[in-house]
Amino acid sequence: MSLNKLKTKIIPWLFLSPALILLTIFLFIPILYLIYLSFTNGSLTATKWIGLNNYRRLTIDSDFAQIIINTIYFSITSIIPSILIPLLLAVLLNQKIILRSFFRTSYFIPSITSLVAMGLGFRWLFQNNGPVNQLLQQINLTPISWLNSPLWAMPVVILFSTWRQIGFNLVVFLAGLQAIPKSRYEAAELDGADSWAKFLYITLPGLKPTLIFCTITTAIFTFRSFEQIYVMTNGGPANSTNILAYYIYQEAFRQFNFGYAAAATSILLLIAFLLVYVQILITKE
């Protein structure tokens, strides 16, 4: 092998090596250790290999089954509005309207605001004597114990998560809309297409990669949601808002079942990898 060919092969790896070293230390090694820990008792003193016992426990644990149901319910009901609402807003804000820049900025602010701060704000809004119940009283409706009700606590958390995600997806959709050539819309107008036809046959097909990206990223953000549960409900009442990420935290840092928590985390990691894999497959089509 000539010296030039050798340089061509080695030099790219030299430039990549700092990033690869950091990824290995802070990503790949922790993931491998997590998988190893899921096959142990996870004790702080003497770690013992127990094979698949943690995974068997997951399959028979009624609490974990409830957590999975909660997570699926929370994810589906958060993802759908988190995609549809910013999509419609993006189409509207892509037009020449008054205060367009103001509205774009206003919708994006929640995405860069602290989740803890916003969670505390939502908890204040929906507390028993909070502004939402005061408004209900003013219109002669019965106040609701929002965060103390197994029926209403999860919808409040879903509302918060959706509101927080709208801004990020809105910006992504706006970028996707601006990448669609205007000549397509002009040609459609010459053919007599109305606004709905242009949206259905030009906007949606042009936004396919953006829709896939937003759906997958929103799903990943939703599955790893933790802060809003921690701040607003602590998984209650009666485990009704406890989802997978918060359940892992409880098992690891409250019950100190590190091996069991690692097994649950491995399930969460597998879900995230599957979502990314689905995105890659769809994008290739």
Side-chain angles (χ1 to χ4, degrees):
M1 183 182 293
S2 66
L3 184 60
N4 288 333
K5 287 184 178 180
L6 185 63
K7 287 181 179 180
T8 303
K9 289 189 175 183
I10 293 177
I11 289 176
W13 287 105
L14 289 176
F15 282 105
L16 287 172
S17 59
L20 291 174
I21 291 170
L22 290 174
L23 283 173
T24 301
I25 294 173
F26 295 106
L27 180 63
F28 299 133
I29 292 177
I31 288 176
L32 291 175
Y33 181 71
L34 169 75
I35 295 171
Y36 160 75
L37 194 63
S38 69
F39 293 100
T40 70
N41 61 350
S43 173
L44 290 173
T45 54
T47 301
K48 179 182 177 183
W49 183 270
I50 59 174
L52 294 172
N53 287 354
N54 286 322
Y55 292 96
R56 292 193 190 99
R57 180 182 166 190
L58 287 174
T59 61
I60 62 175
D61 189 344
S62 59
D63 285 341
F64 186 73
Q66 181 63 43
I67 299 306
I68 294 297
I69 293 171
N70 289 346
T71 304
I72 293 172
Y73 166 52
F74 171 72
S75 299
I76 292 174
T77 52
S78 296
I79 292 169
I80 294 175
S82 294
I83 298 299
L84 294 181
I85 294 174
L87 174 60
L88 296 176
L89 288 174
V91 172
L92 177 63
L93 294 176
N94 199 43
Q95 311 299 320
K96 293 182 179 180
I97 61 173
I98 300 174
L99 299 176
R100 181 174 65 173
S101 298
F102 169 77
F103 286 118
R104 287 180 175 182
T105 304
S106 299
Y107 284 120
F108 186 68
I109 286 175
S111 299
I112 58 175
T113 306
S114 167
L115 266 172
V116 174
M118 292 190 298
L120 291 172
F122 255 72
R123 192 174 71 178
W124 170 74
L125 286 172
F126 286 93
Q127 64 185 353
N128 290 341
N129 58 345
V132 175
N133 276 338
Q134 290 177 9
L135 178 62
L136 291 178
Q137 288 177 325
Q138 289 179 359
I139 59 177
N140 296 321
L141 293 177
T142 304
I144 299 173
S145 183
W146 298 97
L147 298 178
N148 295 319
S149 167
L151 178 63
W152 291 106
M154 183 63 90
V156 172
V157 176
I158 291 168
L159 176 64
F160 169 76
S161 298
T162 301
W163 173 71
R164 202 259 176 180
Q165 189 64 28
I166 283 176
F168 175 81
N169 288 344
L170 173 62
V171 171
V172 176
F173 280 130
L174 282 171
L177 286 170
Q178 292 169 11
I180 300 175
K182 292 183 179 180
S183 57
R184 296 183 185 178
Y185 293 101
E186 293 170 355
E189 288 175 359
L190 291 174
D191 290 337
D194 57 13
S195 299
W196 174 248
K198 288 188 287 185
F199 175 77
L200 194 62
Y201 296 107
I202 299 176
T203 303
L204 282 183
L207 284 178
K208 181 182 176 182
T210 309
L211 278 167
I212 295 170
F213 173 78
C214 284
T215 302
I216 299 299
T217 54
T218 302
I220 292 173
F221 291 155
T222 303
F223 271 105
R224 64 178 182 83
S225 294
F226 168 79
E227 294 91 337
Q228 56 266 53
I229 305 296
Y230 180 81
V231 172
M232 295 174 66
T233 65
N234 281 317
N239 235 20
S240 61
T241 61
N242 200 350
I243 59 177
L244 190 53
Y246 188 76
Y247 180 72
I248 292 168
Y249 160 77
Q250 285 182 313
E251 291 295 327
F253 301 108
R254 290 188 178 178
Q255 304 298 327
F256 301 106
N257 295 326
F258 294 109
Y260 184 65
T265 307
S266 298
I267 300 298
L268 181 59
L269 186 65
L270 178 62
I271 293 171
F273 280 143
L274 287 175
L275 289 172
V276 173
Y277 181 66
V278 168
Q279 180 185 12
I280 294 171
L281 288 180
I282 297 176
T283 305
K284 283 183 177 180
E285 294 179 0

